[in-house]
Amino acid sequence: MIKIVFFDLDDTLIDTTELAERARRQAINNMIREGLPVSFEEAYQELLELINEYGSNFPHHFDYLLRRLDLQYNPKWIAAGVIGYHNTKFTYLNTVRGVRRTLLKLKEMRIKLGIITDGNPIKQWEKILRTEIDDYFDDVIISDFLGVKKPHSKIFEKALSTCGVKAEESLMVGDRLYTDIYGAKQVGMTTVWFRYGKHAKDDLDYLSYADFTIEEITKIPEIVRGLNSEEQLE
Amino acid sequence: MIKIVFFDLDDTLIDTTELAERARRQAINNMIREGLPVSFEEAYQELLELINEYGSNFPHHFDYLLRRLDLQYNPKWIAAGVIGYHNTKFTYLNTVRGVRRTLLKLKEMRIKLGIITDGNPIKQWEKILRTEIDDYFDDVIISDFLGVKKPHSKIFEKALSTCGVKAEESLMVGDRLYTDIYGAKQVGMTTVWFRYGKHAKDDLDYLSYADFTIEEITKIPEIVRGLNSEEQLE
């Protein structure tokens, strides 16, 4: 009997990757508009490499971009980048298509809902509050508090104990086979790989840990209904 | 002969103080809406004290606010504060009434324009770009680059040499008697105290350094015209 569905946040509930790409492109466009003397492609590729090396939460992307392009420090260009990035982020931040409908359907089925996510807790909450999906969820479990990241078992065990449910009563939905699916399977949850966004074509090494694979998030209520009715028949 | 007018940025060209107050109030409102168990007045006063002690550029206002209120770390409340603050800042950031008209008039009179400001260079440029006043100005001189703050003479001297003008050809306009007016006077500029915002009732110790006092920024073209025609009569 599935009593709770846990969701990953980035690229499962919220379209983060597409948004970040859009925001980065707009940042570069804005910098060039204010005089950055480099082609869009050169600057954009350099920014992607930088983010790849320093991580997406590094707070000095645009300062370092200038250094890497052999340009002098210029607060006007950096400010232009920050403005382009933030304006895009705040304007286009949105849930993945079908998410609200899916969450509402699950609530009607009296299924509890939770979020299990890595990342900076304040930034994760900012996404949840800005998209106004917080009221759907009974709990939000952020790995950062435990000093671990998915797929570490501790974060999934914490989710189960916080919500007072057993692994066999839980479904985990996520876009990443290793962190979400393999991780949840290790503690005994039923798993749904949401084949979506940049991980849709991932290396399939961990595919065997996915009990279900979907390409639309709206399939979740059906899966829950199927699992719960099968059990009643037994 | 006045050839250039230098302006201070915060509370002279841009309504920063009023905006910051509005943004902080909205931050607290948003935190309470998300469950912060404190009255608005208590939280707001604590935030003001905190900013007073740690400075307005301290990056952990809302984290520290929770500590000061004896509350546990809660990223949801912090995110709510950040959202309230940023949304207000981006929505209501604006120039002081009459600024655009004044700048345009001065340009028509072929007066050069500059900004002399303290503060974080990226944040200062963010304000300039967001309000779209940058095209009016020949130069923006930010004290941070010189490792000084107003009223240090070095920042005013740098402004003069950058713009290739003499002190006696320059007018400095600002809302703060000590940093803007006393500072500019030390290097020999003509000074206009813009009696506006939170410094409008300042201690008048430095009033003698102000050649003019105005309550509307739109008076500047008149002052310049007066100074330049007096000289022609001599």
Side-chain angles (χ1 to χ4, degrees):
Chain A
M1 182 80 181
I2 298 297
K3 291 185 180 167
I4 190 162
V5 179
F6 290 111
F7 290 88
D8 166 54
L9 185 64
D10 291 312
D11 285 337
T12 298
L13 293 173
I14 296 179
D15 249 329
T16 322
T17 302
E18 198 189 307
L19 179 74
E21 191 189 312
R22 217 191 255 231
R24 285 168 194 151
R25 287 179 176 275
Q26 188 52 32
I28 299 292
N29 277 330
N30 239 19
M31 291 174 88
I32 289 172
R33 187 184 126 153
E34 295 301 338
L36 186 82
V38 189
S39 74
F40 176 86
E41 267 316 314
E42 188 185 347
Y44 186 64
Q45 286 312 320
E46 198 69 52
L47 180 63
L48 292 188
E49 277 179 36
L50 195 165
I51 290 164
N52 197 32
E53 288 167 27
Y54 285 84
S56 61
N57 281 325
F58 180 62
H60 301 291
H61 283 154
F62 301 120
D63 312 37
Y64 272 56
L65 178 61
L66 297 189
R67 296 188 193 181
R68 290 169 79 115
L69 294 168
D70 281 329
L71 295 168
Q72 272 207 306
Y73 176 74
N74 183 323
K76 181 182 179 178
W77 296 340
I78 298 170
V82 170
I83 292 171
Y85 190 87
H86 279 156
N87 283 359
T88 309
K89 215 178 80 176
F90 295 159
T91 310
Y92 295 104
L93 182 72
N94 215 338
T95 48
V96 169
R97 193 159 61 96
V99 158
R100 281 169 214 278
R101 200 159 68 239
T102 303
L103 299 178
L104 201 56
K105 176 68 79 183
L106 291 167
K107 287 308 251 189
E108 285 170 4
M109 293 162 64
R110 305 197 171 203
I111 301 295
K112 289 177 84 177
L113 301 175
I115 296 174
I116 302 178
T117 180
D118 294 333
N120 174 312
I122 299 171
K123 291 196 174 183
Q124 298 307 75
W125 266 108
E126 201 179 331
K127 294 173 202 164
I128 295 167
L129 292 179
R130 280 191 183 274
T131 54
E132 299 187 343
I133 56 172
D134 53 311
D135 286 335
Y136 292 104
F137 292 92
D138 301 273
D139 272 294
V140 175
I141 296 98
I142 301 180
S143 63
D144 198 72
F145 281 109
L146 307 174
V148 300
K149 280 191 174 196
K150 293 187 278 187
H152 200 295
S153 293
K154 207 171 166 186
I155 175 74
F156 295 98
E157 282 159 3
K158 174 71 176 179
L160 294 172
S161 67
T162 301
C163 300
V165 289
K166 295 176 192 146
E168 57 268 30
E169 298 168 331
S170 310
L171 198 70
M172 173 72 200
V173 184
D175 68 313
R176 290 192 293 174
L177 276 173
Y178 178 58
T179 53
D180 297 321
I181 302 310
Y182 167 75
K185 202 72 207 169
Q186 291 310 297
V187 302
M189 293 181 178
T190 304
T191 56
V192 182
W193 181 36
F194 180 33
R195 195 167 182 168
Y196 183 77
K198 71 174 171 184
H199 293 291
K201 285 168 187 162
D202 261 9
D203 179 310
L204 301 182
D205 276 0
Y206 292 91
L207 186 57
S208 60
Y209 296 95
D211 297 305
F212 301 88
T213 296
I214 58 174
E215 292 181 7
E216 298 279 342
I217 201 80
T218 51
K219 300 290 184 198
I220 301 293
E222 214 170 285
I223 290 173
V224 174
R225 209 177 288 115
L227 287 166
N228 288 354
S229 65
E230 257 176 35
E231 212 167 89
Q232 285 179 337
L233 290 174
E234 275 165 13
Chain B
M1 183 78 181
I2 298 296
K3 291 185 180 166
I4 191 163
V5 178
F6 291 112
F7 290 88
D8 166 55
L9 185 63
D10 291 312
D11 285 337
T12 298
L13 292 172
I14 295 178
D15 250 329
T16 322
T17 303
E18 198 189 308
L19 180 75
E21 191 188 312
R22 216 191 256 230
R24 286 168 193 151
R25 286 179 177 275
Q26 188 52 31
I28 299 293
N29 277 331
N30 238 19
M31 292 174 88
I32 289 173
R33 186 184 128 155
E34 295 302 340
L36 186 81
V38 189
S39 76
F40 176 85
E41 268 316 314
E42 187 184 350
Y44 186 63
Q45 287 311 321
E46 198 68 52
L47 180 62
L48 292 189
E49 277 180 34
L50 194 165
I51 290 166
N52 197 32
E53 289 167 26
Y54 285 84
S56 62
N57 281 325
F58 181 63
H60 300 293
H61 283 154
F62 302 118
D63 312 37
Y64 272 55
L65 178 62
L66 298 189
R67 294 187 194 182
R68 290 170 78 115
L69 294 168
D70 281 330
L71 296 167
Q72 272 208 307
Y73 176 74
N74 184 323
K76 181 182 181 181
W77 295 340
I78 298 170
V82 170
I83 292 171
Y85 190 87
H86 279 155
N87 283 359
T88 309
K89 216 178 79 176
F90 296 159
T91 309
Y92 295 104
L93 182 71
N94 215 337
T95 48
V96 169
R97 193 159 60 96
V99 156
R100 280 169 213 279
R101 201 159 69 239
T102 303
L103 299 177
L104 202 57
K105 176 66 81 183
L106 290 167
K107 287 309 251 189
E108 285 170 4
M109 292 163 63
R110 303 198 174 203
I111 301 294
K112 290 177 82 177
L113 300 175
I115 296 174
I116 302 179
T117 179
D118 295 332
N120 175 312
I122 299 170
K123 291 195 174 182
Q124 297 308 74
W125 266 108
E126 201 178 331
K127 293 173 202 164
I128 295 167
L129 293 178
R130 280 190 184 276
T131 53
E132 298 186 345
I133 55 172
D134 54 312
D135 286 335
Y136 292 104
F137 292 94
D138 300 275
D139 272 295
V140 175
I141 296 99
I142 300 179
S143 64
D144 197 74
F145 280 111
L146 307 174
V148 300
K149 279 192 175 197
K150 293 186 281 186
H152 200 294
S153 293
K154 207 172 169 185
I155 174 75
F156 295 99
E157 283 158 3
K158 175 72 175 179
L160 294 172
S161 67
T162 302
C163 299
V165 288
K166 295 177 194 144
E168 56 269 29
E169 299 169 328
S170 309
L171 197 71
M172 174 72 201
V173 185
D175 67 312
R176 290 192 294 174
L177 276 173
Y178 177 58
T179 53
D180 297 320
I181 303 311
Y182 167 74
K185 200 70 206 167
Q186 290 309 297
V187 303
M189 293 182 179
T190 304
T191 55
V192 182
W193 181 35
F194 180 34
R195 196 167 182 169
Y196 182 79
K198 71 174 170 184
H199 293 292
K201 287 170 187 158
D202 261 8
D203 179 310
L204 301 182
D205 275 359
Y206 291 92
L207 187 57
S208 60
Y209 296 95
D211 296 305
F212 301 87
T213 296
I214 58 174
E215 291 183 8
E216 297 279 344
I217 201 81
T218 51
K219 300 290 184 199
I220 300 292
E222 215 171 285
I223 289 172
V224 173
R225 210 177 287 116
L227 287 166
N228 288 354
S229 64
E230 257 177 37
E231 213 166 89
Q232 283 178 338
L233 291 175
E234 276 164 14

